[in-house]
Amino acid sequence: MKGIILVMDGMGGRPLKEFNNQTTLQAAKTPNMDKMAERGITGLMDPIAPGIIPGSDTAHLSILGYNPYEVYTGRGPFEASGVGVDVIPGDIAFRCNFSTSDEDGIITDRRAGRIRDGTDEIVATLNTMKIEGYEDIQIIFKESTGHRAVLVLRGEGLSGKVSDADPKVEGNKAKEVKALDASPEAEKTADILNKLVAKSYEMIKDHPVNLKRIEEGEAPANIIIPRGAGEVPEVELINDKYEVNSACIAETGLIMGIGRFAGMDIIEMEGVTGGTDTNLENIRDTIIDQVNNSEHDFLLINIDGADEAGHDGDAKEKLKFIEKVDEVVMKEVLKLENSYIFLTADHSTPISVKNHSGDPVPVLINGPEVRVDDVCEYNEYAVAKGGLCRIRGADVMNILTDLMGYAHKFGA
Amino acid sequence: MKGIILVMDGMGGRPLKEFNNQTTLQAAKTPNMDKMAERGITGLMDPIAPGIIPGSDTAHLSILGYNPYEVYTGRGPFEASGVGVDVIPGDIAFRCNFSTSDEDGIITDRRAGRIRDGTDEIVATLNTMKIEGYEDIQIIFKESTGHRAVLVLRGEGLSGKVSDADPKVEGNKAKEVKALDASPEAEKTADILNKLVAKSYEMIKDHPVNLKRIEEGEAPANIIIPRGAGEVPEVELINDKYEVNSACIAETGLIMGIGRFAGMDIIEMEGVTGGTDTNLENIRDTIIDQVNNSEHDFLLINIDGADEAGHDGDAKEKLKFIEKVDEVVMKEVLKLENSYIFLTADHSTPISVKNHSGDPVPVLINGPEVRVDDVCEYNEYAVAKGGLCRIRGADVMNILTDLMGYAHKFGA
C-alpha cells in the first residue's frame, strides 16, 4: 500500500464576483477531482491552524508532521536546503542577495542588475573565504536563481539570533549585523557576518564576471548581503518517524528543500517551471513511474502553478491551470491502485489577496478503506460537508499512515 | 476594514421541553440574525475546548487570543482591572468582601448587611494602610458594587500562591491565610494578608460610616476578607499582537476588566445594566458610532442580558431578550459596511442548568469575502452544518485579522 500526498500549491480561494461568487476551484471544470471526491472522504483542512496564513514551507512542514513553530527558525535553512546544500543541525543559514556596492559601501542596486549568469563562478571564489580570527568556521556559499544565493556558516559557538545586513532601500550602506540576544554566540556570529560582508566586496569586486559586466554597462555583483538567519534544527527524519521510504516530487527549490530537510529522496524532473507553463505531462509520468516502479512507498507531490496565478491575481489563468491539472494529472492519478491518495492544497491564494490567506483548504482521501461520504465535488464549499469535517495539517501523516497500515497503537 | 466581535453573553442553550425541544435561541424569532446567517459563513465554536465550561472572563480571554490556562491565575486580577484599578504585571490582586466582625473576630455577616453606600469612604481610610515590616509594599483597595471590593498588593517578593481568608460560613473567624507553596514569597504574602485582615478591623471598626450603620441597626462593614488571589500576568497587548486599534463596548466590570487587561480602550455607556432591562438603544448607538466615527478598527462588544436570564432559569425572559436584541441591535448591525462581523456567544447558559455549560456556541461571520454557506438560520442546530465546521475561541482573532487583511504570513 502506497501513500501519496498531492499538494496543489495555493489552490484554495475566496468567492469571486467574476465567477458569480464561486471560488476559482469551484468555477473550474474538474471532472476527475470531482470523481475522486465522489469516491473518497472529504473535508476542510487548516494547514497550520484556523486563520493562520501559512507559507508554502511552513504548510508543508506541518503536513509532513513537523511543528513549524518549533522547526522553522528562519527562511535561511530551508532556502539553503532548497538549493541543494546538505545542511546539518547546528548550521546557521542565510538567504543572500548579490548586490552592487560603490567604493564607499553604498548599495546602489540590491539585485546587482538582476544578474542571471556567472554567479556560480563568483560563488567558487567566495567559497575560498576565511575570516581572520574565525578560521575554524566553514563558510559555504551556493548560488540560487538570479541574484539570489545562500550562505551557511558551520562550526562551534554560532547562533541564528542575528539581524539582517539587508539595507532594504538602495542608497544606503549594508546594515551592521547585530546580535539579537546577549549570548556570546550571537555576538560572535554578528562579528563574522560583518567581516564577511566587507570581505565579500574585496574578494569579488574585480572578479572576471564583474569586470565583464562593468564593461557591458551592467551592475556588478560585487557584494554579498545576508538576511533571514536561522539555525538548522535537529529533527527526526520522516522515514524514521513514520517508517516509510519517501520521495519528494516538486518543482521548486523551496519545496525540495523541505523534502531534503525531512530526509526524502528528491526526484528530479525535466521541463518543470513552477508556473502555469510547467510540463504537467512530465509531472504526471513521474508520479505514475514512482508509484508503479519505485521502492518509495510514500510520495509528497507539489504542483505549483495555481499559486503563481493566484499571486498574479489572474483568475482565468488559475482556473485554466486547475482544469489542465485535472485533465492531465488527475485523470491518471485516480486510476492508481493500491494507494491512498491525499489531495489538498498547502494554503489558499485568493485572487483578491494576491497572496496567501488563512482560509482553510479542501482535502480528500481516496483509497480502499476510507469512509466514503456523499460529497461529489471537490471545492471549498462542498467538502465543508464531508466526513472528515475540519482537520489540521498536523493530522495528515497520522491519518495517512493509519490507513496505510503503517502506524502503531499508542497504548494497549 | 473594521473587525467586530459581538458576544451575546450566555446565548447558547440546550433543547427545552417547553419550546418543543428547541433551544431558546432556536425558538426566538430573530429575522435579523437569520439574515446575517444567510449572508455569512456559520459554524460552532468551543470558547475554550469541547466540554470545558467557560467563565465569561476565560471565554473572552480565549476569544481575544489569550490562553486562559496561562494568563488566568485567579479572579482577583481581572476583578481589579474590572473596577478600574490599573494593575501592572507582578501585582497580586484579590477579591474582597466587606464583612461584619464581632470583638472576638467572629464573622457575623459575610456581606456586612449587604451594604450599598459609603464603601468608597471606608476605602479612602483603608488606602492609608501600611503593614509593619512591609512598608515598601503598596496596598490599594477599591470598592466594587455592594459589599464587594478588590485589593491589590504591589511590590517586590510577593506571590499569588496563598489561600483565602474567607471563612465561607458565618459564625467562624476569618481563616488564617496560608502559603500554598514553600516559596518565601508565598510565606511573606500570607503574613501580609493576615496582618492586613486584622489591621482592617482596627482601622475601620469606628469609621463614621460604620458608626452610623450601627446607630441605624445595620451590620457595620468593619473588616476586609480577601480571597481569589492571583498574580497579574505579563501579556502582549492586543493592539501590539494583532496591529489593531481596539475598543471594548461592555456592560459589566468583568468584561471591561478583560478589555482593560488586553489594553483596549473602554467605551463608557449610560443606562446599561448587564441585565435584560438594559438600554439596548444606547448599546446599538454606541456600536454604530464607534464603527462610523472612531479610529478604532477592532471592537469587542458584549451584551449581557441573555446570560442573566439563563442564570435565573427564565426561558421566556431569555427568549424575549434575544428577540429584543435582534430587533434593536442586529437590525442596524447587519447594515454596517466595510466590516467583518463575528457574532457569537461566550458560552451556553442553559435554562435547565441555570449556569454556564460546556456546549459549543453558534458563530457566524459576515463580511465582503467570506465563503458564504447555505445556512439561513442562526441557532445551535442550523450552524452545525455551516462552512466553518467547528472552531475554537483561540481561532477567532486569527480568522478575523486574516479576513481584515491585517495578518502576516508565517513562512514563505
Side-chain angles (χ1 to χ4, degrees):
Chain A
M1 193 60 60
K2 300 209 172 187
I4 301 165
I5 300 178
L6 203 165
V7 178
M8 290 282 289
D9 209 295
M11 184 165 58
R14 290 181 182 172
L16 278 169
K17 285 227 172 72
E18 60 190 291
F19 291 152
N20 197 21
N21 287 324
Q22 293 186 303
T23 65
T24 318
L25 176 59
Q26 209 177 4
K29 288 195 184 61
T30 54
N32 296 299
M33 290 198 274
D34 292 346
K35 189 83 187 163
M36 291 171 81
E38 194 183 327
R39 290 183 187 176
I41 186 169
T42 63
L44 285 175
M45 178 175 83
D46 297 293
I48 297 177
I52 300 292
I53 307 176
S56 285
D57 41 15
T58 53
H60 278 78
L61 283 170
S62 186
I63 290 168
L64 291 176
Y66 297 101
N67 180 347
Y69 292 106
E70 284 173 13
V71 303
Y72 192 83
T73 58
R75 282 186 64 174
F78 296 96
E79 196 92 1
S81 181
V83 298
V85 180
D86 285 320
V87 292
I88 57 175
D91 284 355
I92 312 299
F94 304 79
R95 307 166 73 199
C96 300
N97 270 11
F98 284 103
S99 301
T100 307
S101 171
D102 69 14
E103 280 172 18
D104 301 323
I106 302 292
I107 304 299
T108 54
D109 187 337
R110 283 179 65 245
R111 298 188 184 86
R114 293 195 177 264
I115 184 169
R116 296 181 74 97
D117 299 312
T119 52
D120 54 339
E121 294 170 55
I122 301 177
V123 157
T125 300
L126 286 169
N127 273 334
T128 64
M129 190 187 288
K130 284 285 166 194
I131 307 285
E132 295 73 13
Y134 302 107
E135 285 78 6
D136 57 320
I137 301 298
Q138 201 181 336
I139 296 170
I140 306 161
F141 288 97
K142 171 83 183 170
E143 72 283 2
S144 177
T145 52
H147 57 279
R148 300 177 196 88
V150 299
L151 160 67
V152 173
L153 301 180
R154 183 171 293 165
E156 295 295 310
L158 298 172
S159 164
K161 300 283 182 196
V162 293
S163 66
D164 294 346
D166 189 350
K168 294 277 177 67
V169 180
E170 285 154 4
N172 295 295
K173 288 190 180 187
K175 276 198 176 161
E176 192 191 339
V177 177
K178 289 187 177 153
L180 296 177
D181 65 23
S183 68
E185 289 81 5
E187 295 289 350
K188 172 176 168 180
T189 308
D191 190 37
I192 292 172
L193 262 284
N194 288 318
K195 287 177 174 153
L196 179 147
V197 170
K199 189 143 191 167
S200 73
Y201 179 73
E202 295 308 319
M203 284 178 79
I204 61 178
K205 70 180 161 66
D206 299 324
H207 191 283
V209 169
N210 282 329
L211 295 180
K212 192 164 161 241
R213 286 182 70 79
I214 293 165
E215 207 182 284
E216 290 169 352
E218 302 267 23
N222 62 11
I223 194 165
I224 282 283
I225 304 291
R227 68 182 190 278
E231 185 175 336
V232 177
E234 185 129 26
V235 296
E236 194 178 7
L237 300 183
I238 199 163
N239 287 3
D240 298 331
K241 191 170 175 192
Y242 297 104
E243 301 175 22
V244 291
N245 181 0
S246 66
C248 173
I249 299 174
E251 301 181 79
T252 62
L254 192 71
I255 304 303
M256 288 188 226
I258 300 292
R260 207 172 274 120
F261 169 86
M264 308 177 91
D265 290 339
I266 308 296
I267 311 299
E268 302 281 348
M269 291 183 287
E270 303 257 309
V272 296
T273 64
T276 54
D277 62 346
T278 195
N279 190 329
L280 287 172
E281 288 77 8
N282 267 10
I283 297 177
R284 174 198 63 204
D285 294 346
T286 306
I287 298 169
I288 305 298
D289 180 55
Q290 280 293 316
V291 173
N292 293 334
N293 306 319
S294 84
E295 301 208 330
H296 296 123
D297 54 11
F298 171 70
L299 300 175
L300 170 70
I301 301 156
N302 179 281
I303 301 177
D304 202 44
D307 183 52
E308 191 191 66
H311 278 279
D312 290 343
D314 190 338
K316 288 204 189 89
E317 185 72 8
K318 188 172 176 182
L319 178 138
K320 220 172 76 183
F321 184 74
I322 292 171
E323 292 187 342
K324 197 171 160 198
V325 173
D326 188 76
E327 172 60 25
V328 176
V329 181
M330 299 308 173
K331 195 173 174 180
E332 299 306 316
V333 164
L334 72 74
K335 294 179 191 161
L336 293 172
E337 294 185 347
N338 297 318
S339 299
Y340 280 97
I341 301 164
F342 193 102
L343 175 63
T344 189
D346 53 349
H347 52 77
S348 299
T349 308
I351 299 299
S352 58
V353 180
K354 292 188 182 184
N355 208 329
H356 307 181
S357 79
D359 301 284
V361 296
V363 295
L364 69 77
I365 315 179
N366 273 15
E369 290 213 315
V370 299
R371 296 177 182 164
V372 178
D373 61 30
D374 54 11
V375 173
C376 296
E377 283 173 66
Y378 185 68
N379 62 58
E380 299 88 341
Y381 289 80
V383 302
K385 296 182 177 171
L388 285 170
C389 301
R390 189 165 177 164
I391 62 169
R392 294 193 181 198
D395 303 324
V396 174
M397 285 303 292
N398 294 328
I399 293 172
L400 200 55
T401 53
D402 174 49
L403 285 168
M404 292 166 70
Y406 279 45
H408 299 288
K409 183 159 61 178
F410 170 45
Chain B
M1 193 60 61
K2 299 209 172 189
I4 301 166
I5 300 177
L6 205 165
V7 178
M8 291 282 291
D9 209 294
M11 183 164 59
R14 290 181 183 171
L16 279 167
K17 284 226 173 72
E18 61 191 291
F19 290 152
N20 197 21
N21 286 325
Q22 293 185 302
T23 66
T24 317
L25 175 59
Q26 208 176 5
K29 289 194 182 60
T30 54
N32 296 299
M33 289 199 275
D34 291 346
K35 189 82 187 163
M36 292 172 80
E38 195 184 327
R39 290 184 188 175
I41 186 168
T42 63
L44 286 174
M45 179 177 79
D46 298 292
I48 298 177
I52 300 295
I53 307 175
S56 284
D57 42 15
T58 52
H60 279 78
L61 283 171
S62 185
I63 289 168
L64 292 176
Y66 298 101
N67 181 347
Y69 293 106
E70 281 172 16
V71 302
Y72 193 81
T73 57
R75 280 188 65 172
F78 296 96
E79 197 92 2
S81 181
V83 299
V85 180
D86 286 320
V87 292
I88 56 175
D91 283 356
I92 312 298
F94 304 78
R95 307 166 72 197
C96 299
N97 271 12
F98 285 103
S99 301
T100 308
S101 170
D102 68 14
E103 283 173 12
D104 301 323
I106 302 292
I107 304 299
T108 56
D109 188 336
R110 282 179 65 245
R111 298 186 184 87
R114 292 193 176 267
I115 184 169
R116 295 182 75 97
D117 299 315
T119 51
D120 54 340
E121 295 170 52
I122 302 176
V123 157
T125 300
L126 285 170
N127 274 334
T128 65
M129 188 186 290
K130 286 282 166 197
I131 307 287
E132 294 75 16
Y134 302 107
E135 285 79 4
D136 57 319
I137 301 297
Q138 200 181 338
I139 295 171
I140 305 161
F141 287 97
K142 172 82 183 170
E143 71 282 2
S144 177
T145 53
H147 57 278
R148 299 175 197 91
V150 300
L151 160 66
V152 172
L153 300 182
R154 183 172 294 166
E156 296 294 311
L158 299 171
S159 163
K161 298 285 182 195
V162 293
S163 66
D164 294 346
D166 188 350
K168 295 278 175 68
V169 180
E170 285 153 3
N172 294 295
K173 290 191 178 186
K175 277 197 178 162
E176 190 191 342
V177 177
K178 289 187 176 152
L180 297 177
D181 65 24
S183 69
E185 289 83 5
E187 294 289 350
K188 170 177 170 179
T189 308
D191 191 37
I192 292 172
L193 262 284
N194 288 318
K195 288 176 172 154
L196 179 147
V197 170
K199 187 143 193 164
S200 73
Y201 179 73
E202 294 307 321
M203 286 178 78
I204 62 177
K205 71 181 162 64
D206 299 325
H207 191 283
V209 170
N210 282 329
L211 294 179
K212 191 164 164 240
R213 286 182 69 80
I214 291 162
E215 207 181 286
E216 290 171 354
E218 303 266 24
N222 63 9
I223 195 166
I224 282 282
I225 304 291
R227 68 181 190 282
E231 184 175 338
V232 177
E234 185 129 27
V235 297
E236 194 178 5
L237 300 183
I238 197 162
N239 287 3
D240 298 331
K241 193 170 174 192
Y242 297 104
E243 300 173 26
V244 291
N245 181 359
S246 66
C248 173
I249 300 175
E251 303 182 78
T252 62
L254 191 70
I255 304 303
M256 288 188 227
I258 300 291
R260 209 172 273 120
F261 169 84
M264 308 177 91
D265 290 339
I266 308 296
I267 311 299
E268 302 281 346
M269 291 183 286
E270 304 257 309
V272 295
T273 64
T276 54
D277 63 346
T278 197
N279 189 329
L280 287 173
E281 287 78 9
N282 267 9
I283 297 177
R284 174 200 60 203
D285 294 346
T286 306
I287 296 170
I288 305 297
D289 181 54
Q290 280 293 315
V291 174
N292 292 335
N293 307 318
S294 85
E295 300 208 329
H296 296 122
D297 54 11
F298 172 69
L299 300 174
L300 171 71
I301 301 156
N302 179 282
I303 301 178
D304 202 44
D307 182 53
E308 191 190 66
H311 279 280
D312 290 344
D314 190 337
K316 286 202 190 88
E317 185 71 7
K318 187 171 176 181
L319 179 138
K320 221 172 73 184
F321 184 74
I322 292 172
E323 291 186 343
K324 199 171 159 199
V325 174
D326 188 76
E327 173 59 26
V328 176
V329 182
M330 300 308 174
K331 196 174 174 180
E332 299 305 317
V333 164
L334 71 73
K335 293 179 192 160
L336 293 173
E337 293 183 346
N338 297 322
S339 300
Y340 279 97
I341 301 165
F342 193 102
L343 175 63
T344 188
D346 54 347
H347 52 77
S348 300
T349 308
I351 301 300
S352 58
V353 179
K354 292 188 181 182
N355 208 332
H356 305 183
S357 77
D359 300 285
V361 296
V363 295
L364 69 77
I365 315 178
N366 274 15
E369 291 212 317
V370 299
R371 294 175 181 168
V372 178
D373 61 30
D374 54 11
V375 173
C376 297
E377 284 174 65
Y378 185 69
N379 64 56
E380 299 88 339
Y381 290 79
V383 301
K385 295 181 179 168
L388 285 169
C389 302
R390 189 165 178 162
I391 61 170
R392 296 195 179 194
D395 304 324
V396 174
M397 286 301 294
N398 292 329
I399 292 173
L400 200 53
T401 54
D402 174 49
L403 285 169
M404 291 166 70
Y406 280 45
H408 299 286
K409 182 161 62 177
F410 170 42

